[in-house]
Amino acid sequence: MRRLTRTTQLSASQDKRSLEHESAAMQVSGSALYIDDLPEPANIKYAALGISQHTAGKLEQVDLEDVRNSPGVVDVVTVADVPGHIDIAPVFDGDPILAHEHILFHGQPVFAVLANSTREARQAALKGKIQVTEQAPCLTIAQAHEANSFVRPMHTMQQGDANATIKNCEHRIQGSLDIGGQEHLYLEGQIAMAIPGEDDNITVYSSTQHPTELQKLIAEVLDIKFHKVVVEMRRAGGAFGGKETQSAQWACIAALLAAKNKCAVKLRLPRSQDMIVTGKRHPFSNQYEVGVDSNGQIQAANVKISGNCGHSPDLSDAIVDRAMFHTDNGYYLGDCKIEGHRCRTNQVSHTAFRGFGGPQGMMIGEAMMDKIARTLGKDPLLVRKQNLYSEENGRNTTQYGMQVENFLLPEIIEQLENKAEYWRRREEITAFNAKNRFIKKGLSLTPVKFGISFTVKHLNQAGALVHIYTDGSMQVNHGGTEMGQGLHTKIQQIAAQEMSIPAAMIEVTATRTDKVPNTSPTAASSGTDLNGKAVQNACITIKQRLAEYFAQRFEVSADSVEFKDGTIRSGEHQVDFAEFIQQAYMDRVHLSAAGHYKTPKIFYDRNTGNGRPFFYFAYGAALSEVTVDTLTGEYKVNRVDILHDTGKSINPALDIGQIEGAFIQGMGWLTSEELVWDETGKLASNNPATYKIPAIGDTPEIFNVELLDRDNSEDTIFRSKAVGEPPFMLAISVWCAIKDAISSLTQYKVDPPLHAPATPESVLAAIDAVQEN
Ligand code: MTE
Ligand code: QUE
Ligand code: MOS
């Protein structure tokens, strides 16, 4: 049996900060409740979707006769049955709850059936006759450009005059890079259960990252006030961005059926349908030209990036922006121009996925580095180090005019380079490759610099609601959602530390729109940063009341009152926390508080493309080693070493779990996960048998993850840093290492024309291409 080596997990789990995930025991024992496990009301019915078998065209007629007559069917609805808004788009219009007049992609939901069982509903849904006058679909980024088909206007970021500077550069290097999308493949599929209450109130349970948006959309669909709707979610079985906007449709359809039929309704999508009807990571096509001096130093860059957005805007404006914000990764591009296009195609509307466009942008910066290295005959690591932002040299202005400060990459790269022995292994690999004709090894060290904050300013806020009960136990509620990342555990730790009581005294409860209103999605890795500060803010309010009461009781100054080790004290006066809470209650002290937080310092003027959109950056670097069989294109990831910046980690075990998971998920995106649409626009890779995510056998044999466990220079919650998305992009090192191995066939003179994902087929094609050279 193959032995896997992981060095840091053990020491991290022994760290006293590494409280175990609040649901760990429930999850491994099967007692954690997901939506489908909740007790069902007696009057519940089950829903299913009828979806289009055409890709694009005019919706002429929907014959639902056979559906209605199918066994067990209670009701069938189309867009005509919606009392309120039919558009449930998150930002810009374009997402009808069910197809309206047009079919926009293959698999678009057209009607919904309600029946006595899920099986009956799904069987009935197959009997709809959907008549469409077909139009020629637009399926690719190239076709969209040709047809001038965009979901949003183009946006540009620039500094200096890129075109003029490039003309005078010693070397002008061009490249193009196609990057595939990615299916979220959360373990728990999309699901919602709607329960109508008295009057026209309704409660909806949904596996969502954005309860507030669901509340708003359900109210608008039903044409009722927001205050009539409660959305609750306790946990999602994974989300990864796929339940940020795209959990809404199922919740709205369930709510529509529930309100119309005055019964509880559950809508759970079968996996293959889930994969067809929900958007994915955006595929991108990127082109760049970079001007460098004789040393390989970038002077100017001209980049054109295009995201395949599918049929509607969804979050694509912000996603393509984030790709543009990360084209530089950690490198100073000099005079540069980045153009971002949002292509409209007849595909499902693509959406948020871990990194939110950042990974697709960052790939360009890293592709540039490799190509500069091959062109100039330098080691790629030297080219990377040489082009890093540098505060001393004044080369620290990004393409969006933000100054990069407290830049940790030089230090992180150097530490990793030494610890993981880049240069010794480089020599070893060169020797190995000289000796082996067909099996080639590759090595690559790539960094990550990821901007933390929503680039849409108003989303950078959070709320909390904290109660202390008279036994001294606390209930904490906040606007964030738990999807496996450990947010609730970190929040529990934050409240425990703030009040100086054991974590076991704190219960973090399900996210509910009636407890904390007007929340942002749990996204942009900001869950702990935002909600942690809001919870701290509420705790401080209660602590102030308690301190004043203590001061009055013991005739000390309120400023002198300390919360320490489960007590409240000042000088010789000391009272056990729970006991003092009881006394405070008897003396009518208010033991509940709401908290709020908004991120300081951030702004971005989209008209000029300049500002400080990010509160800070999270950094990391990965060194990956691969072995490629150049006869088949198959490869193996042998070893990965990671050093990642989590600020002062609140929970090292959870952070390492996020880093490992994100890395493997990123590796899947860039290697085996290939979305295939056939020539009619129908998704061919619509189940886990035809869409291959990494399995345990694909994980690196040696996998070392270490934290740069150091205070954030910005005032974040306990000086920690966001961790959810940044390590996803560390996987670019695997893609670059594969290219490094292929490049060895040319004595490192040719940068292989490898796109993403680097499936064995495409690796073999790249091998053939460089050998023809
Ligand atoms: N980790 C798990 N286990 N499951 C998830 O769905 N989503 C990721 C990341 N880590 C995800 C995850 C994404 S896309 C984001 S934006 C962050 O978690 C959101 O949570 P946070 O802000 O609390 O880190
Ligand atoms: C990163 C993100 C998001 C983002 C911007 C980022 C995100 C998201 C939105 C967004 C934008 C406009 C809206 C809205 C949401 O922006 O997840 O409701 O009106 O949802 O840089 O992760
Ligand atoms: Mo994460 S893609 O911001 O939900």
Side-chain angles (χ1 to χ4, degrees):
M1 215 181 90
R2 198 163 68 96
R3 184 175 299 144
L4 301 175
T5 315
R6 296 194 312 174
T7 55
T8 41
Q9 186 65 72
L10 192 65
S11 59
S13 61
Q14 284 164 349
D15 190 304
K16 67 177 192 323
R17 294 170 294 174
S18 293
L19 186 68
E20 79 178 29
H21 193 289
E22 41 80 22
S23 294
M26 289 187 281
Q27 282 167 327
V28 295
S29 66
S31 62
L33 299 179
Y34 295 83
I35 307 291
D36 211 21
D37 304 316
L38 296 175
E40 295 178 347
N43 67 354
I44 194 162
K45 306 280 180 214
Y46 304 86
L49 305 174
I51 67 176
S52 162
Q53 298 302 320
H54 297 94
T55 306
K58 192 163 181 304
L59 183 57
E60 303 289 359
Q61 212 199 335
V62 189
D63 177 355
L64 298 170
E65 176 95 5
D66 293 348
V67 183
R68 287 186 207 283
N69 293 331
S70 194
V73 168
V74 176
D75 192 21
V76 189
V77 291
T78 67
V79 75
D81 295 290
V82 176
H85 292 193
I86 61 171
D87 200 318
I88 56 165
V91 191
F92 307 103
D93 283 356
D95 298 304
I97 178 172
L98 290 163
H100 178 56
E101 293 171 358
H102 301 280
I103 292 297
L104 302 167
F105 69 98
H106 200 287
Q108 184 176 9
V110 178
F111 62 92
V113 190
L114 192 65
N116 291 322
S117 70
T118 293
R119 193 183 160 78
E120 285 169 321
R122 288 179 186 174
Q123 283 178 341
L126 296 172
K127 297 176 185 169
K129 298 193 188 80
I130 302 166
Q131 206 185 312
V132 175
T133 305
E134 284 194 272
Q135 286 154 4
C138 174
L139 295 174
T140 64
I141 288 171
Q143 284 169 0
H145 272 291
E146 227 162 86
N148 252 317
S149 166
F150 302 102
V151 293
R152 295 290 305 152
M154 194 259 279
H155 178 53
T156 306
M157 295 175 187
Q158 57 189 335
Q159 303 292 324
D161 187 344
N163 287 328
T165 309
I166 280 187
K167 281 201 191 101
N168 300 319
C169 285
E170 201 128 346
H171 300 275
R172 294 166 60 174
I173 298 170
Q174 295 181 344
S176 73
L177 182 59
D178 294 335
I179 303 172
Q182 188 176 23
E183 158 62 37
H184 300 86
L185 223 90
Y186 23 62
L187 275 180
E188 179 200 32
Q190 300 276 358
I191 185 165
M193 179 166 72
I195 303 176
E198 60 179 23
D199 206 353
D200 48 7
N201 284 270
I202 188 163
T203 301
V204 178
Y205 299 85
S206 161
S207 183
T208 181
Q209 293 171 254
H210 202 350
T212 286
E213 185 154 81
L214 267 55
Q215 176 196 21
K216 163 187 184 278
L217 294 172
I218 290 164
E220 288 175 350
V221 162
L222 299 181
D223 196 20
I224 55 180
K225 293 276 182 235
F226 294 10
H227 68 212
K228 297 278 188 187
V229 182
V230 174
V231 176
E232 171 169 337
M233 86 81 80
R234 170 60 182 88
R235 61 171 65 77
F240 307 110
K243 296 173 181 173
E244 200 177 321
T245 58
Q246 304 217 356
S247 50
Q249 197 171 359
W250 332 118
C252 287
I253 291 171
L256 173 66
L257 286 166
K260 183 160 177 260
N261 293 282
K262 310 239 174 307
C263 67
V265 172
K266 188 191 279 187
L267 173 53
R268 174 168 60 80
L269 304 186
R271 177 66 63 176
S272 63
Q273 200 173 64
D274 188 308
M275 289 177 76
I276 290 166
V277 300
T278 62
K280 323 205 166 300
R281 179 185 295 285
H282 292 57
F284 271 71
S285 273
N286 303 323
Q287 284 145 15
Y288 64 85
E289 182 177 30
V290 60
V292 300
D293 68 14
S294 53
N295 293 319
Q297 183 83 53
I298 296 179
Q299 311 292 314
N302 202 339
V303 182
K304 180 177 156 187
I305 74 181
S306 300
N308 178 343
C309 302
H311 72 81
S312 76
D314 186 81
L315 297 172
S316 298
D317 232 19
I319 288 167
V320 177
D321 274 2
R322 192 166 267 274
M324 299 167 72
F325 283 124
H326 288 83
T327 304
D328 58 330
N329 194 11
Y331 311 112
Y332 179 61
L333 298 181
D335 291 341
C336 61
K337 180 173 174 201
I338 322 271
E339 236 178 61
H341 301 267
R342 285 104 175 130
C343 298
R344 185 195 296 274
T345 61
N346 292 110
Q347 284 185 355
V348 62
S349 193
H350 295 309
T351 194
F353 195 143
R354 209 169 194 166
F356 204 75
Q360 296 98 313
M362 212 179 273
M363 282 285 282
I364 305 168
E366 293 307 330
M368 282 179 188
M369 292 301 132
D370 279 356
K371 196 145 195 176
I372 294 168
R374 299 315 174 205
T375 307
L376 274 72
K378 289 183 125 189
D379 188 282
L381 179 56
L382 294 179
V383 174
R384 289 190 161 89
K385 286 167 73 166
Q386 177 186 359
N387 279 292
L388 289 175
Y389 282 109
S390 162
E391 282 172 70
E392 299 100 78
N393 300 335
R395 302 192 305 124
N396 67 330
T397 307
T398 63
Q399 64 272 29
Y400 44 93
M402 177 171 169
Q403 306 301 306
V404 179
E405 286 157 358
N406 301 296
F407 184 53
L408 299 180
L409 281 182
E411 191 186 337
I412 288 177
I413 291 174
E414 193 177 302
Q415 267 195 44
L416 183 66
E417 172 185 0
N418 292 331
K419 185 140 195 215
E421 301 184 291
Y422 181 87
W423 294 106
R424 184 186 64 71
R425 289 165 62 199
R426 172 57 74 197
E427 274 179 32
E428 252 178 43
I429 284 174
T430 308
F432 177 95
N433 288 343
K435 277 207 308 267
N436 290 277
R437 185 158 166 215
F438 299 123
I439 305 292
K440 300 291 180 185
K441 283 183 178 278
L443 191 67
S444 178
L445 191 160
T446 62
V448 164
K449 161 180 141 287
F450 193 76
I452 302 300
S453 293
F454 288 98
T455 54
V456 177
K457 189 173 175 180
H458 74 271
L459 296 174
N460 294 288
Q461 59 174 320
L465 181 63
V466 171
H467 307 316
I468 309 183
Y469 296 99
T470 52
D471 63 352
S473 71
M474 286 175 64
Q475 228 183 52
V476 174
N477 197 275
H478 60 90
T481 57
E482 175 63 41
M483 53 193 111
Q485 84 276 41
L487 172 59
H488 285 0
T489 311
K490 287 186 174 179
I491 294 289
Q492 188 187 7
Q493 290 178 276
I494 289 163
Q497 183 162 335
E498 199 55 44
M499 305 308 287
S500 205
I501 60 176
M505 294 298 281
I506 289 150
E507 183 79 7
V508 180
T509 56
T511 312
R512 286 180 64 111
T513 55
D514 57 352
K515 282 206 166 184
V516 176
N518 312 326
T519 57
S520 294
T522 305
S525 304
S526 66
T528 303
D529 281 18
L530 299 176
N531 296 287
K533 275 280 192 186
V535 166
Q536 182 185 45
N537 175 248
C539 289
I540 289 172
T541 302
I542 300 182
K543 273 166 64 177
Q544 271 164 355
R545 292 185 202 136
L546 290 171
E548 275 158 30
Y549 172 59
F550 193 101
Q552 182 196 324
R553 279 266 310 270
F554 296 106
E555 295 184 337
V556 295
S557 84
D559 292 343
S560 72
V561 178
E562 274 186 298
F563 291 71
K564 215 163 171 224
D565 303 334
T567 69
I568 302 175
R569 56 173 89 155
S570 170
E572 76 275 22
H573 308 289
Q574 175 170 325
V575 188
D576 172 71
F577 183 82
E579 196 182 316
F580 190 71
I581 292 295
Q582 175 65 31
Q583 293 166 7
Y585 165 74
M586 293 306 291
D587 257 334
R588 301 186 294 177
V589 176
H590 185 194
L591 295 171
S592 171
H596 186 260
Y597 174 73
K598 57 181 178 186
T599 311
K601 297 187 179 178
I602 48 174
F603 66 97
Y604 179 63
D605 179 355
R606 205 163 179 274
N607 293 319
T608 64
N610 274 281
R612 179 200 174 140
F614 304 118
F615 187 28
Y616 64 90
F617 295 102
Y619 299 101
L623 174 57
S624 294
E625 181 179 327
V626 301
T627 305
V628 178
D629 181 337
T630 61
L631 293 177
T632 64
E634 288 169 297
Y635 51 82
K636 191 99 212 136
V637 181
N638 307 110
R639 174 172 168 182
V640 173
D641 294 83
I642 289 172
L643 179 58
H644 194 81
D645 160 35
T646 52
K648 187 86 199 148
S649 176
I650 290 176
N651 187 318
L654 285 176
D655 284 351
I656 284 179
Q658 284 291 294
I659 295 165
E660 290 176 343
F663 180 88
I664 297 296
Q665 192 170 42
M667 187 182 84
W669 168 53
L670 291 173
T671 59
S672 65
E673 295 182 37
E674 188 174 31
L675 292 168
V676 178
W677 284 273
D678 72 13
E679 59 288 348
T680 70
K682 178 180 176 184
L683 183 70
S685 50
N686 69 350
N687 65 61
T690 50
Y691 182 81
K692 191 189 176 311
I693 63 166
I696 191 69
D698 299 308
T699 59
E701 287 153 31
I702 304 173
F703 195 7
N704 300 322
V705 178
E706 225 170 289
L707 304 181
L708 185 82
D709 200 0
R710 182 190 303 170
D711 282 12
N712 189 343
S713 53
E714 295 295 344
D715 179 17
T716 50
I717 183 72
F718 300 149
R719 298 279 167 178
S720 65
K721 282 194 181 183
V723 70
E725 296 165 290
F728 181 91
M729 286 146 277
L730 295 172
I732 297 174
S733 61
V734 172
W735 181 74
C736 290
I738 293 171
K739 286 203 298 169
D740 188 61
I742 303 172
S743 186
S744 74
L745 293 166
T746 70
Q747 271 59 57
Y748 300 103
K749 291 201 170 65
V750 180
D751 184 48
L754 187 67
H755 297 270
T759 58
E761 293 88 334
S762 53
V763 169
L764 195 59
I767 289 166
D768 288 347
V770 299
Q771 285 181 331
E772 278 162 18
N773 244 296

